[in-house]
Amino acid sequence: MSNVVIINGNPSLTSRLNGMIQYVEQRLAQAGIEIGHIRVAELPPEDLIKAKFDSEAILHANKKVEEADGIVIASPVYKAAYTGVLKTYLDLLPQKGLSGKIILPLFIGGTIAHLLSIDYALKPVLSALGSRYILGGVYAVDTWITRNEQEGYSLSEELIHRLDEAAAEFADLLQRKN
């Protein structure tokens, strides 16, 4: 069975990005993939800011990454790039910490103008960490996701289609890997 870790780089607990993450998580679970989570904003701030590589919380998070076959990296886009808290955590991964991992990026932003943030901001860092198989990912505009009264999320049909395709490709590659 494949094992995936979702690294959520969102500092907000109520972001529409959660709708994308939950949707992809359901699709992966349906494919029989085991899911773990790292909410970067819940890691100790001092450990992140002071780059405490030996912190128990950082070591535990990094162990999850090490043991995963695939990684979903999710972030909102601020000022044409992913969040600073996500970058701070990525800086604490070992030099080749993503070697051999299949990566699926999920980004959300306020405008389509930041569509290329995955390619120009995230992928170079992932490559520097040893990742050689990074999927195209899914970029969504936040208006494509609405919160409903039950504290859930409604996704546009276009976004659902794109997430279905990305999750299916990711699951297929993970199953081939094992």
Side-chain angles (χ1 to χ4, degrees):
M1 175 187 298
S2 295
N3 174 2
V4 166
V5 171
I6 298 172
I7 300 174
N8 184 343
N10 196 336
S12 170
L13 295 175
T14 61
S15 171
R16 291 180 180 104
L17 178 63
N18 293 331
M20 291 175 68
I21 292 169
Q22 290 170 6
Y23 188 86
V24 168
E25 184 174 358
Q26 288 174 340
R27 291 297 178 253
L28 296 177
Q30 289 170 351
I33 295 170
E34 189 175 312
I35 310 285
H37 295 269
I38 298 170
R39 282 202 46 83
V40 180
E42 293 176 357
L43 293 171
E46 185 170 325
D47 294 353
L48 291 168
I49 297 301
K50 293 187 176 180
K52 292 186 176 182
F53 289 90
D54 60 347
S55 150
E56 207 172 297
I58 300 301
L59 291 171
H60 180 69
N62 288 353
K63 184 73 170 165
K64 285 183 179 183
V65 171
E66 179 185 333
E67 293 174 350
D69 300 304
I71 310 289
V72 173
I73 296 183
S75 179
V77 175
Y78 298 148
K79 308 224 187 297
Y82 52 92
T83 62
V85 71
L86 177 58
K87 176 64 164 89
T88 303
Y89 173 66
L90 293 176
D91 286 345
L92 295 174
L93 284 172
Q95 182 62 37
K96 295 297 177 186
L98 297 180
S99 182
K101 311 295 182 203
I102 301 168
I103 311 287
L104 173 61
L106 300 177
F107 274 25
I108 190 169
T111 173
I112 200 73
H114 298 297
L115 173 67
L116 296 177
S117 58
I118 292 172
D119 291 327
Y120 292 115
L122 183 67
K123 286 185 178 182
V125 173
L126 300 179
S127 293
L129 289 168
S131 182
R132 296 295 171 255
Y133 204 92
I134 307 165
L135 299 180
V138 177
Y139 178 89
V141 176
D142 60 9
T143 58
W144 297 350
I145 303 171
T146 55
R147 289 185 195 94
N148 62 36
E149 292 178 23
Q150 293 79 24
E151 295 190 29
Y153 300 91
S154 298
L155 284 60
S156 72
E157 285 188 41
E158 177 185 350
L159 181 56
I160 287 171
H161 176 71
R162 293 176 57 224
L163 290 171
D164 281 341
E165 285 183 346
E169 179 184 15
F170 189 55
D172 182 55
L173 290 169
L174 289 167
Q175 289 168 348
R176 284 190 211 175
K177 181 179 179 182
N178 291 334

